[in-house]
Amino acid sequence: MRFIVTILPLIIFSCIKCESDRCFHQDDHPYPFFASKTAYSYVSAKQNYTQPNCKTLQLWLLSRHGTRNPGRDSIDNISNLNEYKNNITNNSSLCKEDFEAIKTWVFNLTEKDQNKLNSQGVIDLSSLGLRLQSLYKDIFDEPYNPITYNVLSTTKERSRDSAFYFLKSAFNVNVTDIPLINSDDIKLNVSKFQIVNDNKELKQFRSSIHIQDVIARVSKILGLDHNLALSTIKAMYNSCRYERSVDLNSHPAWCAVFSQEDLEVLEYDEDLKYYYLNGYGDSYNERLGCPIVKDLINNFSNKSRTQHGPKGVFYFGHSSNVFSAIVRLGFARDTTPLLSSNFNDMRDRKWKSSYLSPFASNVMAALYECHGEKKVTFFVNEVPMMVEKYGCTLCPWTLIENMFDPIVSSPSCTFNENNSSASRLCAASNILFLICLLNFVYYS
């Protein structure tokens, strides 16, 4: 009995020390969700959801570009972390491996690398092309030609390259002249008619106790006697998530400063950004997504009635395109809006950019013929989506066509340059502080 009493304090002390000495480099399953910079493989479907007893008549795909390098500003901010890696003190609570990883961290990207599709981005779209080719043999049973397969990309290099690698894998062909959108194309030119307004909820969240706790925890774990600026925390976060997206099995140095709680807070911060910029936080965003959904419905209607039209429709763009399509289709809609004040209540929210628009995210629809009846399934990142109105994932096409007809036939499902000036958009808004940029290019 005396022996037990003697060693019990040692056991308790040892356990407490183990819990406090968290070591990121020894974590076999680190938190993988980084909002719009999440790796596709963490959220995409893990099984085959095709319909074996149905013939696929048409496949419609809208894909975000694959994993890319950071933009110029992010590269500059991440490069500036060299100053902070040398300021870590012996008061840091990082374990030895994490401490040394930051001390020896090197960042090699420069301005010439900005926004380029990287090696993982090539894998993302190549794998998608091979996977769809294998799953939808009815669609990919002919050599590539621009009549049978309708391809379109935005003008950004990363989107063009994504289209190239997708087609190369799906058809074993190098298409060097990827068709690009023109200035009049309203399907993929979301940014041309986007309103950028003052995101009050995001601003308030960044002043909240949740963000302040992240700042305090990260500053403390580095052993600093003062709190870092949020911009510096964001640079560390970007370094962490960009490196992780390129090498899925890596343990990036700056990830070590964040707990899972920190990462969930920063994920919500970005979800608030996209909820009001591209999502349900502004009803105008449903209108922005209408032209691309109208294209989907029109393609399926034509194919269903006449059997004419392309077998495959493949579009390549950006997160704003994917978000807009998701919103107009009505998926991932929460009954409670995302606010600066309800982070804890919204942990199980549907609007999570990690799941909706990771790198290489996509919205897809397949038109089937099943025992003489036309049916349709919608997918987000290859996962079938429930059409809540009818409670189906494999839905009768006539129901879907009738459901969307009032939407896509509405005069508001288009944009006219003459009545979409900044002054008209500003006048239509109830937001007191509004920035309207018709030519604002928001591509992530």
Side-chain angles (χ1 to χ4, degrees):
M1 186 68 173
R2 182 179 302 172
F3 175 74
I4 295 175
V5 171
T6 302
I7 67 169
L8 187 57
L10 295 178
I11 294 173
I12 294 173
F13 174 79
S14 175
C15 289
I16 292 173
K17 182 173 174 54
C18 286
E19 288 179 358
S20 62
D21 288 349
R22 180 181 63 88
C23 197
F24 172 69
H25 276 75
Q26 294 175 6
D27 189 346
D28 293 333
H29 303 287
Y31 191 71
F33 304 117
F34 295 95
S36 64
K37 308 304 182 289
T38 299
Y40 183 69
S41 62
Y42 288 127
V43 300
S44 57
K46 301 299 185 288
Q47 64 186 87
N48 174 8
Y49 287 108
T50 56
Q51 300 296 328
N53 298 318
C54 302
K55 178 182 180 181
T56 311
L57 300 178
Q58 191 174 64
L59 191 67
W60 187 98
L61 171 74
L62 169 65
S63 176
R64 182 189 180 191
H65 57 76
T67 307
R68 63 162 173 84
N69 294 333
R72 183 177 61 185
D73 289 345
S74 291
I75 287 175
D76 290 343
N77 292 334
I78 294 172
S79 297
N80 290 337
L81 292 177
N82 281 304
E83 171 190 345
Y84 294 94
K85 78 173 187 179
N86 298 322
N87 290 339
I88 304 176
T89 72
N90 291 330
N91 294 324
S92 168
S93 56
L94 291 166
C95 68
K96 181 180 178 181
E97 294 95 326
D98 294 343
F99 186 92
E100 290 301 321
I102 291 178
K103 282 291 189 181
T104 58
W105 171 78
V106 176
F107 183 64
N108 294 319
L109 296 183
T110 63
E111 187 174 319
K112 66 178 177 60
D113 302 305
Q114 63 176 307
N115 289 321
K116 289 184 180 296
L117 199 72
N118 55 38
S119 57
Q120 182 58 45
V122 173
I123 293 171
D124 292 337
L125 271 297
S126 298
S127 299
L128 180 63
L130 284 174
R131 199 158 50 248
L132 296 187
Q133 178 205 56
S134 174
L135 294 174
Y136 296 94
K137 296 186 184 301
D138 294 332
I139 300 299
F140 296 91
D141 60 351
E142 295 185 31
Y144 172 78
N145 70 78
I147 297 176
T148 307
Y149 303 99
N150 184 0
V151 176
L152 194 63
S153 168
T154 66
T155 58
K156 297 296 181 180
E157 180 182 358
R158 55 193 178 275
S159 297
R160 300 198 310 267
D161 289 346
S162 294
F164 173 85
Y165 288 108
F166 174 88
L167 295 175
K168 183 176 183 180
S169 293
F171 296 99
N172 193 28
V173 63
N174 290 336
V175 182
T176 55
D177 54 342
I178 301 292
L180 305 178
I181 61 170
N182 57 46
S183 59
D184 297 326
D185 188 292
I186 60 175
K187 296 189 301 294
L188 298 180
N189 265 332
V190 171
S191 62
K192 187 172 184 179
F193 301 97
Q194 192 160 25
I195 303 174
V196 183
N197 52 52
D198 184 30
N199 193 332
K200 293 181 179 179
E201 295 298 330
L202 180 59
K203 283 186 176 181
Q204 290 173 8
F205 187 70
R206 290 181 176 177
S207 300
S208 72
I209 187 64
H210 302 292
I211 289 291
Q212 298 311 309
D213 282 349
V214 172
I215 293 173
R217 281 194 295 262
V218 171
S219 302
K220 182 178 179 180
I221 201 172
L222 292 173
L224 304 177
D225 58 4
H226 62 280
N227 281 345
L228 295 166
L230 178 58
S231 58
T232 303
I233 302 290
K234 284 297 189 73
M236 295 173 180
Y237 180 57
N238 280 333
S239 175
C240 163
R241 61 183 185 161
Y242 275 109
E243 286 187 42
R244 186 78 183 279
S245 68
V246 175
D247 185 350
L248 307 186
N249 298 314
S250 66
H251 284 71
W254 289 107
C255 289
V257 306
F258 299 108
S259 66
Q260 179 170 323
E261 175 72 11
D262 297 332
L263 295 176
E264 289 175 356
V265 169
L266 294 172
E267 184 183 15
Y268 190 74
D269 177 269
E270 192 156 313
D271 287 351
L272 277 174
K273 168 186 169 182
Y274 286 118
Y275 185 73
Y276 291 95
L277 181 66
N278 298 119
Y280 294 108
D282 186 342
S283 60
Y284 180 75
N285 292 326
E286 293 190 28
R287 184 182 174 194
L288 283 178
C290 199
I292 191 68
V293 171
K294 182 176 184 177
D295 179 88
L296 187 166
I297 299 300
N298 286 347
N299 269 288
F300 279 14
S301 294
N302 185 49
K303 195 72 171 179
S304 176
R305 290 184 179 129
T306 70
Q307 298 298 309
H308 296 310
K311 284 190 169 186
V313 179
F314 309 126
Y315 297 140
F316 299 88
H318 308 269
S319 62
S320 56
N321 300 115
V322 172
F323 278 131
S324 295
I326 288 172
V327 167
R328 184 60 280 181
L329 288 168
F331 300 132
R333 187 194 294 269
D334 293 285
T335 55
T336 302
L338 275 66
L339 303 170
S340 59
S341 58
N342 63 358
F343 165 68
N344 287 323
D345 296 333
M346 299 299 289
R347 288 181 182 270
D348 294 327
R349 63 193 177 276
K350 296 177 182 179
W351 185 267
K352 280 195 174 185
S353 51
S354 296
Y355 287 91
L356 300 178
S357 192
F359 284 127
S361 57
N362 52 79
V363 174
M364 187 170 68
L367 179 66
Y368 299 107
E369 185 169 48
C370 310
H371 306 292
E373 183 182 7
K374 307 294 192 308
K375 296 193 175 185
V376 63
T377 297
F378 298 99
F379 302 83
V380 173
N381 302 323
E382 301 173 72
V383 177
M385 303 303 291
M386 174 75 71
V387 178
E388 292 186 2
K389 182 175 181 178
Y390 300 114
C392 57
T393 53
L394 180 63
C395 303
W397 167 242
T398 54
L399 291 181
I400 300 300
E401 186 176 33
N402 291 335
M403 183 174 76
F404 280 101
D405 180 67
I407 295 172
V408 300
S409 61
S410 169
S412 67
C413 194
T414 187
F415 293 88
N416 187 312
E417 295 270 11
N418 296 325
N419 61 23
S420 297
S421 65
S423 60
R424 287 179 181 268
L425 289 176
C426 288
S429 175
N430 291 321
I431 300 170
L432 295 177
F433 177 80
L434 184 63
I435 305 171
C436 296
L437 299 173
L438 278 179
N439 295 316
F440 172 79
V441 179
Y442 185 86
Y443 286 148
S444 56

